[in-house]
Amino acid sequence: MNANLRTDTSSAQRIFWSALDDQAQAQTLERPAQTVAEQTRRTVAALIEEVRSGGLEALRAITQRLDGAAPVSFEVGEDAFAAAEAAIDPALKQAMVEAAARITAFHKAGMAKPYAVETAPGVVCERMIRPIGRVGLYVPAGSAPLPSTALMLGVPAQLAGCREVVLCTPPRKDGSADPAVLVAARLTGVGRVFVLGGAQAIAAMAYGAGPVPACDKLFGPGNSYVTEAKQQVAQSGAAAIDMPAGPSEVLVIADAGANADFVAADLLSQAEHGPDSQVLLLSDDAGLLDRVEAALATQLAALPRADIARRALSASRLVQVESLEQAFAISNRYAPEHLILALREPRVWLPKVEAAGSVFLGDYTPEALGDYCSGTNHVLPTSGAARAYSGVSVASFQNFVSVQSASAAGLLAIGPSAVTLAEAERLEAHANAVRLRLQEAAR
Amino acid sequence: MNANLRTDTSSAQRIFWSALDDQAQAQTLERPAQTVAEQTRRTVAALIEEVRSGGLEALRAITQRLDGAAPVSFEVGEDAFAAAEAAIDPALKQAMVEAAARITAFHKAGMAKPYAVETAPGVVCERMIRPIGRVGLYVPAGSAPLPSTALMLGVPAQLAGCREVVLCTPPRKDGSADPAVLVAARLTGVGRVFVLGGAQAIAAMAYGAGPVPACDKLFGPGNSYVTEAKQQVAQSGAAAIDMPAGPSEVLVIADAGANADFVAADLLSQAEHGPDSQVLLLSDDAGLLDRVEAALATQLAALPRADIARRALSASRLVQVESLEQAFAISNRYAPEHLILALREPRVWLPKVEAAGSVFLGDYTPEALGDYCSGTNHVLPTSGAARAYSGVSVASFQNFVSVQSASAAGLLAIGPSAVTLAEAERLEAHANAVRLRLQEAAR
């Protein structure tokens, strides 16, 4: 089989890695084009300006215009929370309670602790931890509302102890919020929920508008307008953001023993997120690639979101590699958001992973477990950002403040070094601030 | 004394906080204007584009144009490192060695550890820690070279274990690098040093140009061109950056018992950084403010960088507050880069600090200690960014990767929850990826 040619049995490209030259290899790992159109930039900048200057009236006008429904009150009241509790399926509530418990267990165990070190006799350096004061969570509801995202952001915010946690989520057709999102918000102690979506929600949480307070940091995924709005408010210094966000993606490394049906299902569960999602499968076994290709076709036919998945698959690749070592080199270069190791000995290979958002080991750990309820966070770096960004954790909601304290003896011990360094940098006032104290301490 | 009027004995404004209305209070806490001029934005964008498209030739042309000296080789060779070792004062070398040891001790003690939690029987969630592969450090040399910054960035990069650490620092008039910066770089194991400054250095480290490799994340302070270049490469996704940077600043809270000479020296050591530096003094004691004002005038007269400091002081304020509680409320609102607690019982007050970059306790802990050698990092969030950003630490050079592993039993335990949540979000392929495995696991 000539694996360099596209095959038509599935929409994904079939590639033999070692047959490609450098340029073709680079192209294979390119994400679908994500350059933000100048038009999007301008639209978002205009929306942000409209919200900043227009406040509540602007939020009403924009929501009416874009969502077709302006709620009487953007803030969700107690009656709506109560109605949501009554409305949702008890099995869904139970699944959310269990997921929240596991997310809490995992995130809590990883929380940083304050510490102190005596770096010289009489000199103590410390790290204090403080919650970020006011945080804004965005829970999208593009093709469907995502209560799981409310859990993934609400749990670490609660563990960090943020003074005020605000959540925005787009209105449904009738102007109300999704009940499952409201229940998830309440489960994690989110203080105030606003039925507000898109770039206007990001602008409101960054600058404050109408009832929405200005937040110090904004979190959460969203469409290209939300993402661009987050970038713009971060760039202007109005609010920090969790990370740059792009379309979701998965890379699977599978060996000859992998279950082709499972692998195909994992590729499709990523592909159904959106037409710009990307999936990559790397295997050293041509037979496995053949079987996955066949399984993709079969499973795709049965999916309600087959159209979206088929479009995503067209940007995706099934790559035959020389060896698993080569697969890990490719994966580290790509730095996927999700990395599935469908290998017989995934733990043996794990040390080779240098850059990825979240890793899934073996046949019984589909990405969907991490998306919902294993305990890890599903807000993860995309588009190769995993080379230098990490997923959301409790630390994302905290400030780490260093503290130092020198006694007179401590100053006498390290002060002369500081004077020498300050003089080398020609910062005379720095040297003077130490010298004055050295004189006093030496008395 | 009418404290609301500017006085002429020093250039700093004297203010009585409670006499101000909301707007005047907000104005008092405003940083000197930092809006990046459109001209700066365009200049920087053009420089970045020139470096991206022109590579080595562009670096030569730009350096010749802006620094007046294009080095034969941008990369510092072994002979230059050896010459630097021979050239610097042994006392300076010794001070750097000691500072590096204390910075190492403090940073190492705060390093995060990998961990694992069984979140359900058969479901293990973990956090792995990986160094960011290739990092770029920028060490400015505007009014003077800053070897201390090389230590502050090099030590945590080394502790993190980054595969490649690259450092850029501007050329001196003769095209060479500052010897102390070279020695500091070698002390901390920096691999390659390039004599290259400004936005062109940031562009080279973000995209790769000439001998400078493309880096995953860029660190370090710099002038407004460097800062703007970091923002632009971060925005484009070319490289992550440590934090948005602005002019340096200090806020001092002093009580009646504070030493006015010390306080004045601290204010001046911040003010000498640059004309856009800002210093704020808050005290509940008018007498202390009077004494500091007098000490400022005396000390200022003796400073070599008096002109810079005088300009910075003109944007600065001596604020009389009703109480120390009020001082801490103001400080938390301002979120200073450096916070000095010149108080009789600084530890008692420390819990009130909500947002600051680094805190200095008591009379014998001048900011200069933290700038150089107490052990804490001096690359800190400015311009109020301390509300949602932290100073550089080892974690700044690491990626945190989550890992999950479910056995068949683990999947049976939590898989049904995942299916319920996926169905609620109408993500059928997600549900399917779990269901297929539930069938297999139940066999």
Side-chain angles (χ1 to χ4, degrees):
Chain A
M1 171 169 186
N2 184 338
N4 284 313
L5 298 177
R6 278 167 173 269
T7 61
D8 288 333
T9 48
S10 100
S11 316
Q13 277 187 56
R14 184 78 177 260
I15 283 164
F16 189 77
W17 185 259
S18 294
L20 303 181
D21 62 17
D22 286 357
Q23 199 189 349
Q25 288 182 349
Q27 276 169 0
T28 300
L29 298 187
E30 266 172 21
R31 266 80 175 177
Q34 286 159 37
T35 15
V36 180
E38 188 53 36
Q39 183 56 43
T40 305
R41 260 190 237 286
R42 262 177 298 178
T43 304
V44 167
L47 279 169
I48 292 174
E49 186 46 41
E50 191 177 347
V51 170
R52 282 189 71 175
S53 58
L56 180 59
E57 285 316 302
L59 294 182
R60 276 196 212 289
I62 295 169
T63 302
Q64 185 71 54
R65 200 163 76 221
L66 300 181
D67 297 312
V72 179
S73 162
F74 285 103
E75 183 157 8
V76 174
E78 281 311 315
D79 49 342
F81 282 111
E85 289 282 349
I88 72 163
D89 184 337
L92 175 57
K93 170 79 182 277
Q94 182 57 25
M96 290 199 287
V97 168
E98 288 173 18
R102 285 191 289 270
I103 297 166
T104 301
F106 177 67
H107 285 67
K108 192 171 183 179
M111 287 173 73
K113 291 178 181 57
Y115 73 97
V117 176
E118 193 175 41
T119 57
V123 180
V124 177
C125 294
E126 302 165 56
R127 177 179 72 191
M128 308 196 296
I129 303 176
R130 295 287 186 262
I132 295 178
R134 196 188 274 143
V135 295
L137 317 182
Y138 187 76
V139 174
S143 34
L146 301 179
S148 60
T149 299
L151 299 179
M152 294 292 173
L153 299 176
V155 166
Q158 187 173 42
L159 286 170
C162 297
R163 192 178 67 243
E164 189 168 359
V165 183
V166 162
L167 185 152
C168 282
T169 192
R172 297 187 295 180
K173 288 229 160 56
D174 66 357
S176 69
D178 177 71
V181 170
L182 295 185
V183 171
R186 270 294 152 94
L187 267 179
T188 60
V190 168
R192 303 173 71 186
V193 176
F194 299 93
V195 195
L196 185 64
Q200 57 276 25
I202 300 301
M205 291 194 286
Y207 291 98
V212 185
C215 299
D216 299 310
K217 189 170 181 180
L218 309 185
F219 297 80
N223 64 21
S224 58
Y225 290 90
V226 168
T227 299
E228 173 62 18
K230 282 173 67 186
Q231 293 271 24
Q232 289 190 15
V233 300
Q235 179 87 352
S236 74
I241 62 171
D242 49 356
M243 69 187 83
S248 196
E249 60 199 24
V250 71
L251 187 150
V252 181
I253 300 178
D255 59 16
N259 181 314
D261 285 329
F262 292 178
V263 172
D266 290 341
L267 298 179
L268 287 171
S269 71
Q270 194 58 44
E272 78 171 339
H273 269 300
D276 49 5
S277 294
Q278 190 172 22
V279 304
L280 280 170
L281 169 62
L282 311 182
S283 180
D284 57 352
D285 186 72
L288 185 274
L289 291 173
D290 291 342
R291 292 194 296 280
V292 171
E293 209 164 340
L296 276 175
T298 310
Q299 291 184 26
L300 191 55
L303 275 187
R305 290 164 73 111
D307 277 354
I308 290 176
R310 195 171 284 118
R311 281 196 281 162
L313 282 183
S314 71
S316 301
R317 289 112 169 86
L318 310 184
V319 182
Q320 189 176 337
V321 293
E322 301 274 3
S323 64
L324 292 179
E325 281 80 5
Q326 191 180 50
F328 279 89
I330 296 169
S331 175
N332 287 329
R333 181 170 161 192
Y334 184 77
E337 181 191 14
H338 304 100
L339 172 60
I340 299 179
L341 302 186
L343 301 174
R344 296 321 89 207
E345 296 186 288
R347 271 217 178 264
V348 171
W349 290 96
L350 189 57
K352 295 214 178 280
V353 176
E354 290 170 12
S358 195
V359 187
F360 301 79
L361 301 186
D363 293 339
Y364 287 105
T365 319
E367 189 205 306
L369 284 195
D371 288 343
Y372 290 119
C373 62
S374 66
T376 62
N377 209 289
H378 79 197
V379 181
L380 296 166
T382 57
S383 310
R387 288 182 208 106
Y389 292 87
S390 306
V392 162
S393 69
V394 180
S396 312
F397 293 87
Q398 293 173 320
N399 293 325
F400 297 85
V401 182
S402 59
V403 180
Q404 47 254 292
S405 172
S407 64
L411 181 85
L412 287 168
I414 72 167
S417 269
V419 171
T420 302
L421 286 158
E423 287 171 344
E425 296 187 354
R426 289 170 235 152
L427 291 172
E428 188 52 32
H430 283 64
N432 197 47
V434 181
R435 274 194 225 108
L436 277 178
R437 286 165 166 100
L438 283 171
Q439 288 158 15
E440 187 75 20
R443 277 187 194 176
Chain B
M1 169 168 187
N2 185 337
N4 283 312
L5 298 176
R6 279 166 174 270
T7 63
D8 289 330
T9 48
S10 101
S11 316
Q13 276 187 57
R14 185 79 178 260
I15 284 163
F16 190 77
W17 184 259
S18 293
L20 302 181
D21 61 17
D22 287 355
Q23 197 188 348
Q25 290 182 348
Q27 275 168 2
T28 299
L29 299 187
E30 265 172 22
R31 266 80 175 177
Q34 287 157 40
T35 13
V36 180
E38 187 53 34
Q39 182 57 42
T40 305
R41 259 191 238 288
R42 262 177 299 179
T43 303
V44 166
L47 280 169
I48 292 174
E49 186 46 41
E50 192 176 346
V51 171
R52 282 188 71 176
S53 57
L56 180 59
E57 286 315 302
L59 294 183
R60 276 196 211 290
I62 296 168
T63 302
Q64 185 71 55
R65 200 163 75 222
L66 299 182
D67 296 314
V72 180
S73 164
F74 284 104
E75 183 157 8
V76 174
E78 280 310 316
D79 49 342
F81 281 112
E85 289 282 350
I88 74 163
D89 185 338
L92 175 56
K93 171 79 182 277
Q94 182 58 26
M96 289 200 287
V97 168
E98 287 173 18
R102 284 191 288 271
I103 298 166
T104 301
F106 177 66
H107 284 68
K108 192 171 182 178
M111 286 173 72
K113 291 177 182 59
Y115 72 97
V117 176
E118 193 174 44
T119 55
V123 180
V124 177
C125 293
E126 301 166 55
R127 176 180 72 190
M128 307 195 297
I129 303 176
R130 294 288 186 262
I132 295 178
R134 198 187 273 142
V135 296
L137 317 182
Y138 187 78
V139 174
S143 34
L146 301 178
S148 60
T149 299
L151 300 179
M152 293 294 173
L153 298 175
V155 166
Q158 187 173 41
L159 287 170
C162 297
R163 192 177 67 244
E164 190 167 359
V165 183
V166 162
L167 185 151
C168 282
T169 193
R172 296 187 296 180
K173 288 229 158 57
D174 66 357
S176 69
D178 178 71
V181 169
L182 294 185
V183 172
R186 270 294 151 94
L187 267 179
T188 59
V190 168
R192 304 173 71 186
V193 175
F194 300 93
V195 195
L196 185 66
Q200 57 275 26
I202 300 302
M205 292 194 286
Y207 290 99
V212 185
C215 299
D216 300 310
K217 189 170 180 180
L218 309 184
F219 296 80
N223 63 20
S224 57
Y225 290 89
V226 168
T227 299
E228 173 62 17
K230 282 174 67 187
Q231 294 271 23
Q232 288 190 16
V233 299
Q235 178 87 352
S236 74
I241 61 171
D242 49 356
M243 68 188 83
S248 196
E249 60 198 25
V250 70
L251 188 149
V252 181
I253 301 179
D255 60 17
N259 181 315
D261 286 328
F262 293 178
V263 172
D266 290 341
L267 297 179
L268 287 172
S269 71
Q270 193 58 43
E272 77 171 340
H273 269 300
D276 49 5
S277 293
Q278 190 172 21
V279 304
L280 280 171
L281 169 61
L282 311 182
S283 180
D284 58 350
D285 186 72
L288 184 274
L289 291 173
D290 291 342
R291 292 192 297 278
V292 171
E293 209 164 340
L296 275 175
T298 310
Q299 293 184 26
L300 190 56
L303 273 188
R305 290 164 73 111
D307 277 355
I308 290 176
R310 196 171 284 118
R311 280 196 282 162
L313 283 182
S314 72
S316 300
R317 289 114 168 85
L318 309 183
V319 181
Q320 189 176 337
V321 293
E322 301 274 2
S323 63
L324 292 179
E325 281 80 3
Q326 190 179 50
F328 279 89
I330 295 169
S331 175
N332 287 329
R333 182 170 161 191
Y334 184 77
E337 180 191 13
H338 305 101
L339 172 60
I340 299 179
L341 303 186
L343 302 174
R344 296 321 88 207
E345 297 187 287
R347 276 222 173 261
V348 171
W349 290 96
L350 190 57
K352 295 215 177 278
V353 176
E354 290 170 12
S358 194
V359 187
F360 302 79
L361 300 187
D363 292 340
Y364 286 105
T365 317
E367 189 205 307
L369 284 195
D371 287 344
Y372 289 119
C373 61
S374 65
T376 61
N377 209 289
H378 80 197
V379 181
L380 296 167
T382 56
S383 309
R387 286 181 208 108
Y389 292 87
S390 306
V392 161
S393 69
V394 179
S396 311
F397 294 86
Q398 295 173 319
N399 292 325
F400 297 85
V401 182
S402 59
V403 180
Q404 47 254 293
S405 172
S407 64
L411 181 85
L412 287 168
I414 73 169
S417 268
V419 171
T420 301
L421 285 157
E423 286 172 343
E425 296 187 354
R426 290 170 234 152
L427 291 171
E428 188 53 33
H430 283 62
N432 198 46
V434 182
R435 272 193 226 108
L436 276 178
R437 286 164 166 100
L438 284 172
Q439 288 158 16
E440 188 74 22
R443 277 185 193 176

